[in-house]
Amino acid sequence: MTPTTYSRFIRFLQEDLALSSASIAIALRYREHDPGPLPMILWQYGLITLEQLDRIFDWLETAQP
């Protein structure tokens, strides 16, 4: 994911899915210890629902060049 796409992704999480900065920070901290795709980490730790995970994958599919 390019830096620009990553910034847009974080903005999507905050604005469209209403995730708090704290929730995103928690997922990023977990990711340092257990590398994996950020959407899966968010879901695995209960920070998003399955419906939100589906929306994330839809967004990622259309955001990638």
Side-chain angles (χ1 to χ4, degrees), residues 43-65:
W43 177 72
Q44 183 178 13
Y45 289 98
L47 300 170
I48 59 172
T49 65
L50 277 176
E51 290 81 15
Q52 289 172 313
L53 182 62
D54 191 43
R55 286 184 61 195
I56 289 171
F57 285 138
D58 288 344
W59 186 92
L60 288 171
E61 189 174 299
T62 60
Q64 297 299 331

Side-chain angles (χ1 to χ4, degrees), residues 18-36:
L19 255 62
S20 68
S21 296
S23 293
I24 295 169
I26 289 169
L28 291 172
R29 236 184 338 256
Y30 281 123
R31 190 176 183 193
E32 291 174 5
H33 301 289
D34 185 17

